[in-house]
Amino acid sequence: YTETEIVSVSDLAPYYGERRICAPISFSIHDGQRIALKGKNGSGKSSICKILTGDAIAYTGFFHFAPSVIVSYIPQSADFLSGSLDAFVETYQLNSTDFFTVLETLGFFIADCRQPIESYSAGQKKKLLIAKSLCEKAHLYIWDEPLNYIDVITRLQLEKMILMFQPTMLIVEHDELFTERIATDTVYFE
């Protein structure tokens, strides 16, 4: 890999049991690139994200990260979140001022912060994961359908933030307009 290459993926194909999910896929992500993974539901996009973030999914092929790469990941589902917001901030060692500022920018009402996370709507939980990721100092942001349950105003705010900060990203998102605006490259799944 080159100096600015964050990750190189070569002939990667996820398997569930004996069944291969997609044709082997190859791509690399360089510093500053924002790559959108495109394809039908069930084509393997999320599985590739999970493999790259260390989930125990069987696969063939290879991937290689540059040394010391830090990855920030937003999974498709936020159902696993629970507890207090203070515990969330502590668990992920977030700067609370930055975190709450980003949350407010994403339209999260600070009055809701006193409620347990499990009582939040799916959209509020997704905003927590987005704010967490945006506050993490990572080399690569892997986001799997970040706009699920997110309103239009938050979507526009998020687009603005991404274009302002220019993070290196691998993103799976079905919102065509959003990916068209933020992605620098696209990888298509068969």
Side-chain angles (χ1 to χ4, degrees):
Y1 57 91
T2 64
E3 247 179 75
T4 63
E5 191 171 75
I6 303 292
V7 63
S8 168
V9 173
S10 181
D11 295 322
L12 199 58
Y15 279 77
Y16 286 109
E18 297 291 309
R19 192 171 80 79
R20 189 177 75 188
I21 303 303
C22 62
I25 196 138
S26 299
F27 62 91
S28 58
I29 304 172
H30 292 81
D31 193 29
Q33 272 188 308
R34 289 181 303 283
I35 293 185
L37 299 182
K38 290 284 183 192
K40 293 185 291 209
N41 284 340
S43 63
K45 304 176 304 293
S46 292
S47 297
I48 294 292
C49 290
K50 288 176 181 176
I51 289 167
L52 293 177
T53 57
D55 263 25
I57 293 175
Y59 65 90
T60 56
F62 307 94
F63 65 92
H64 179 79
F65 283 96
S68 307
V69 165
I70 297 167
V71 174
S72 176
Y73 175 52
I74 297 179
Q76 220 175 89
S77 171
D79 292 344
F80 65 94
L81 294 175
S82 65
S84 74
L85 209 45
D86 288 337
F88 179 85
V89 169
E90 199 173 300
T91 298
Y92 293 104
Q93 300 176 331
L94 303 170
N95 175 308
S96 61
T97 305
D98 293 347
F99 177 71
F100 287 109
T101 301
V102 172
L103 263 186
E104 273 192 285
T105 304
L106 295 174
F108 193 96
F109 300 108
I110 298 305
D112 295 329
C113 292
R114 291 172 199 71
Q115 305 300 319
I117 294 173
E118 52 271 25
S119 72
Y120 291 2
S121 70
Q124 288 172 313
K125 288 179 181 177
K126 196 58 105 150
K127 287 178 184 182
L128 286 187
L129 292 179
I130 292 168
K132 169 190 146 318
S133 185
L134 289 171
C135 289
E136 290 174 329
K137 290 175 178 32
H139 302 101
L140 176 63
Y141 296 83
I142 299 178
W143 289 6
D144 192 358
E145 298 192 22
L147 299 184
N148 279 1
Y149 312 108
I150 294 294
D151 58 275
V152 175
I153 290 160
T154 303
R155 183 187 93 51
L156 293 171
Q157 284 295 92
L158 193 53
E159 183 183 303
K160 201 186 298 183
M161 281 188 210
I162 290 168
L163 293 175
M164 186 165 49
F165 294 111
Q166 305 275 315
T168 303
M169 298 184 93
L170 179 65
I171 191 163
V172 174
E173 182 50 61
H174 294 288
D175 184 319
E176 294 289 334
L177 191 57
F178 181 79
T179 52
E180 198 177 287
R181 289 192 172 145
I182 66 142
T184 57
D185 296 279
T186 306
V187 172
Y188 293 95
F189 281 65
E190 311 222 351

